[in-house]
């Protein structure tokens, strides 16, 4: 299972003329973060965006940009939480649902690959680097496919739920989006995921 591709859309924050000093500082931090993103220096972008959110937690753009930075930095666990916060603040921004679905798919891929593990309480965490199979860092589809059959019940339960969530988020993207150029591709992906879910359910019986 290959990593899903993210449509990167960094959102600018416009500051009103009556903005307080905190909003001006937020603007500056977001501008610096965008510059780091362009240079693919995602850790620095993340730090600027976290500082921006510390100053003002109410701006949707800051949370969405942070989620994008986390995703580009392959920190999918943190990205999901930031996307959800962004959606909470602006539930009509269609691209956030698409990006969240992509990130959920990438979490599933990392579980299959042994990069992430699911504990008995349903929480996910990164596996120590020395414990990750060498094949997991390659594009070896055969390795990932083979590993699907060695997952424990915790991982299977988590994957089923996360895949269902991804389907819902892709569908919300289609529902809320206007003039979506990739509508047919996303609809096809939704159908693929639904078929996979049905196969997983049959396997579990």
């Amino acid at each position: 299972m290959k990593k899903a591709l993210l449509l990167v859309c960094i959102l600018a924050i416009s500051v009103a003329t009556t903005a307080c000093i905190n909003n001006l500082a937020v603007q500056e931090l977001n501008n610096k973060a965008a510059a780091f993103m362009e240079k693919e220096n995602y850790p620095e972008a993340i730090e600027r965006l976290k500082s921006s959110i510390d100053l003002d937690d109410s701006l949707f753009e800051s949370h969405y940009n942070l989620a994008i930075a986390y995703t580009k930095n392959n920190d999918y666990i943190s990205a999901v939480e930031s996307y959800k916060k962004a959606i909470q603040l602006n539930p009509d921004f269609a691209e956030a649902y698409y990006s969240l679905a992509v990130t959920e798919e990438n979490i599933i891929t990392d579980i299959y690959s042994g990069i992430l593990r699911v504990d008995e309480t349903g929480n996910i965490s990164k596996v120590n680097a020395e414990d990750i199979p060498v094949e997991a860092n390659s594009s070896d589809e055969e390795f990932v496919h083979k590993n699907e059959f060695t997952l424990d019940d915790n991982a299977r339960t988590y994957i089923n739920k996360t895949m269902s969530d991804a389907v819902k988020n892709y569908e919300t993207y289609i529902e809320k989006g206007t003039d979506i150029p990739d509508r047919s591709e996303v609809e096809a992906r939704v159908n693929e995921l639904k078929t996979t879910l049905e196969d997983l359910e049959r396997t579990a019986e």
Side-chain angles (χ1 to χ4, degrees), residues 8-27:
V8 178
C9 174
I10 304 302
L11 301 180
I13 296 177
S14 58
V15 178
T17 55
T18 57
C20 68
I21 188 64
N22 271 4
N23 282 346
L24 293 172
V26 165
Q27 176 79 72

Side-chain angles (χ1 to χ4, degrees), residues 55-76:
L55 289 174
D56 189 344
D57 188 47
S58 68
L59 293 174
F60 152 75
E61 293 90 345
S62 295
H63 290 280
Y64 183 74
N65 290 344
L66 178 59
I68 292 287
Y70 276 134
T71 305
K72 298 294 287 183
N73 202 44
N74 299 321
D75 184 353
Y76 305 126

Side-chain angles (χ1 to χ4, degrees), residues 149-185:
F149 302 99
T150 63
L151 296 174
D152 61 23
D153 290 341
N154 298 326
R156 290 182 183 278
T157 298
Y158 188 95
I159 286 170
N160 282 16
K161 181 185 181 305
T162 303
M163 196 174 293
S164 295
D165 290 344
V167 167
K168 292 174 186 174
N169 286 316
Y170 279 132
E171 289 177 334
T172 303
Y173 165 66
I174 294 170
E175 175 190 335
K176 290 181 178 289
T178 56
D179 300 324
I180 300 175
D182 60 342
R183 178 182 296 271
S184 60
E185 290 89 345

Side-chain angles (χ1 to χ4, degrees), residues 188-201:
R189 185 58 185 155
V190 167
N191 289 332
E192 289 174 4
L193 290 175
K194 286 181 175 178
T195 299
T196 300
L197 278 168
E198 291 172 359
D199 291 342
L200 290 172
E201 288 171 3

Side-chain angles (χ1 to χ4, degrees), residues 107-192:
I107 285 176
I108 292 169
T109 299
D110 280 356
I111 293 172
Y112 278 142
S113 300
I115 296 172
L116 295 175
R117 67 159 57 95
V118 184
D119 65 22
E120 61 276 2
T121 63
N123 293 318
I124 55 175
S125 60
K126 289 185 178 180
V127 174
N128 292 330
E130 60 270 17
D131 296 329
I132 298 174
V134 174
E135 300 94 326
N137 294 313
S138 69
S139 57
D140 189 347
E141 290 289 311
E142 183 178 348
F143 167 77
V144 174
H145 179 71
K146 181 172 62 178
N147 205 34
E148 293 178 21
F149 302 99
T150 63
L151 296 174
D152 61 23
D153 290 341
N154 298 326
R156 290 182 183 278
T157 298
Y158 188 95
I159 286 170
N160 282 16
K161 181 185 181 305
T162 303
M163 196 174 293
S164 295
D165 290 344
V167 167
K168 292 174 186 174
N169 286 316
Y170 279 132
E171 289 177 334
T172 303
Y173 165 66
I174 294 170
E175 175 190 335
K176 290 181 178 289
T178 56
D179 300 324
I180 300 175
D182 60 342
R183 178 182 296 271
S184 60
E185 290 89 345
V186 176
E187 289 174 340
R189 185 58 185 155
V190 167
N191 289 332
E192 289 174 4

